[in-house]
Amino acid sequence: MPISLGSVQLKIMRVLWSEGKASARQITETLSEEKPIAHSTVQTLLRQLEGKRAVTHEREDRTFVFRPLIKESEVTKSVAQDLLSRVFQGSISGLVAHLLESEEVTPEEMERLQKLVREKSQEVEK
Amino acid sequence: MPISLGSVQLKIMRVLWSEGKASARQITETLSEEKPIAHSTVQTLLRQLEGKRAVTHEREDRTFVFRPLIKESEVTKSVAQDLLSRVFQGSISGLVAHLLESEEVTPEEMERLQKLVREKSQEVEK
DNA sequence: ATCTATCGTTTACTCAAGTAAATCTACTCA
DNA sequence: TGAGTAGATTTACTTGAGTAAACGATAGAT
């Protein structure tokens, strides 16, 4: 079951992941800091997310409070896998090659990356 | 100008990239090997692709022959960047970490990856 | 008791992708 | 010359994301 979210849906989820729970209103306000969005839009998207079992809600006073049902890692995983298979035919090195060429990469980032790869290599080795 | 293609559109582009040029018919047949697709569907998508300047066509006899106008690297680049910023907030190591956890990675692939990272590190270093 | 602000719900519209049937057009060959 | 075929074009439907107005219910304030 591939979890597929649109870009605004993802932003909503991100608020929920970082806050743990939030009302529609809170989400609207958080998202609006960056770029205004109508409250009703957020509500519609929350219902869509509920439809695909990504969130749930419970009443608190008269307000719905939403909670994420899926973990961030599940989503990022499926999105990344989808990209990988669709665009790079499964080649991680192909993807990374592109990214390294086209992005500004800080030395710290390279450090982390190297460490990751080194560790993983150990495992695969034997 | 971000180039955004749907998954079937991408498959069509891939045929064009690997063949250099192709008629709608050829594309239909190539794609149908994997999963049947109606010829008219392919034609519709080709027009969409033409609309977004991803391909062009010229007559050859009575047949339209299509050619890619954009390079594969341009597309993969924008898709990868989009993913990176949307889902991983720009963290390449975050993306790679996910992929390494969730994918089967062959030793050869790890090899390539290590090499890539090592080389890039050199550059960034100084 | 009524007004008002705030929720949630309903409804609807746009856009892109995907799908494909139906139709138009023109060439080939019998 | 007329039928059939292979191409292109037109048209249309479905789905999901995104957007938001309009409507309905209700708690609190005056």
Side-chain angles (χ1 to χ4, degrees), chain B residues 94-107:
Chain B
L95 171 55
V96 174
H98 265 282
L99 291 176
L100 291 184
E101 269 173 46
S102 54
E103 297 287 319
E104 297 298 304
V105 190
T106 65

Side-chain angles (χ1 to χ4, degrees), chain A residues 14 76 79 81 83 86-87 89 91-93 98 100 102-103 109-110 112 114 116-117 120-121, chain B residues 14 76 79 81 83 86-87 89 91-93 98 100 102-103 109-110 112 114 116-117 120-121:
Chain A
R14 224 174 267 134
T76 49
V79 179
Q81 283 177 342
L83 173 83
R86 261 188 36 209
V87 185
Q89 271 103 78
S91 163
I92 295 183
S93 59
H98 265 283
L100 291 184
S102 54
E103 297 288 319
E109 184 67 1
M110 272 321 293
R112 276 195 291 279
Q114 266 199 305
L116 258 175
V117 173
K120 184 69 179 185
S121 289
Chain B
R14 226 174 265 134
T76 49
V79 179
Q81 284 178 342
L83 173 84
R86 261 188 36 209
V87 185
Q89 271 103 76
S91 162
I92 295 183
S93 60
H98 265 282
L100 291 184
S102 54
E103 297 287 319
E109 183 68 359
M110 271 322 293
R112 274 195 292 279
Q114 265 198 306
L116 259 173
V117 173
K120 184 71 178 183
S121 289

Side-chain angles (χ1 to χ4, degrees), chain A residues 81-125:
Chain A
Q81 283 177 342
D82 178 62
L83 173 83
L84 193 66
S85 61
R86 261 188 36 209
V87 185
F88 293 92
Q89 271 103 78
S91 163
I92 295 183
S93 59
L95 171 56
V96 174
H98 265 283
L99 291 175
L100 291 184
E101 269 173 48
S102 54
E103 297 288 319
E104 296 298 301
V105 191
T106 65
E108 297 76 47
E109 184 67 1
M110 272 321 293
E111 197 54 49
R112 276 195 291 279
L113 194 52
Q114 266 199 305
K115 181 147 170 266
L116 258 175
V117 173
R118 221 181 299 120
E119 280 165 10
K120 184 69 179 185
S121 289
Q122 307 269 312
E123 289 177 38
V124 174
E125 197 92 6

